[in-house]
Amino acid sequence: MSHDDAHDTNPHAKLIRMANQIGTFFESKPREEGVAGIAEHINKFWEPRMRRHFFEVMDTGGEGLKPIVVEAAERIRRPAEERKAG
C-alpha cells in the first residue's frame, strides 16, 4: 500500500500533507519564528476554501497535523462561512 492509499478515506488528506510539509520546513527555525512562518505562509498563499477545510480538520481535533501546525492555527485567519445558494 502506498503512502497515498493509506489516506484515501480522509477527504482532507492532501491538505493535511501540505500543511505538514510547510510545518516540516519551518521546524528548522526557532519555535516562535516557525509558528509565525507557518501562519504567514498559509494566510498569504492558501485561498479561503483551503483555509476553511484546514479549520474543518482543526475543529475535529487536528488529527494528522504536526504539533507546530496546530500551534500556528490560532494565527491563521479563519475565512467567513460560505453562503449557500438557495
Side-chain angles (χ1 to χ4, degrees):
M1 179 184 301
S2 76
H3 177 73
D4 291 333
D5 291 341
H7 292 76
D8 283 348
T9 59
N10 183 343
H12 298 302
K14 184 175 182 181
L15 183 127
I16 291 168
R17 188 168 54 253
M18 290 171 58
N20 284 339
Q21 286 173 332
I22 296 164
T24 296
F25 174 82
F26 283 104
E27 281 177 329
S28 64
K29 309 282 186 191
R31 188 68 171 193
E32 175 57 31
E33 185 181 338
V35 169
I38 292 166
E40 179 181 13
H41 181 90
I42 290 174
N43 284 327
K44 272 187 180 177
F45 299 110
W46 284 24
E47 64 182 27
R49 182 178 51 109
M50 290 174 70
R51 286 185 284 120
R52 193 171 296 109
H53 291 310
F54 173 80
F55 281 107
E56 288 173 5
V57 173
M58 286 299 302
D59 291 346
T60 59
E63 185 175 346
L65 292 170
K66 290 178 164 282
I68 194 169
V69 175
V70 172
E71 190 175 339
E74 66 187 39
R75 300 178 190 198
I76 296 170
R77 288 188 303 273
R78 187 181 286 262
E81 294 298 316
E82 283 185 63
R83 291 186 180 175
K84 304 264 187 212

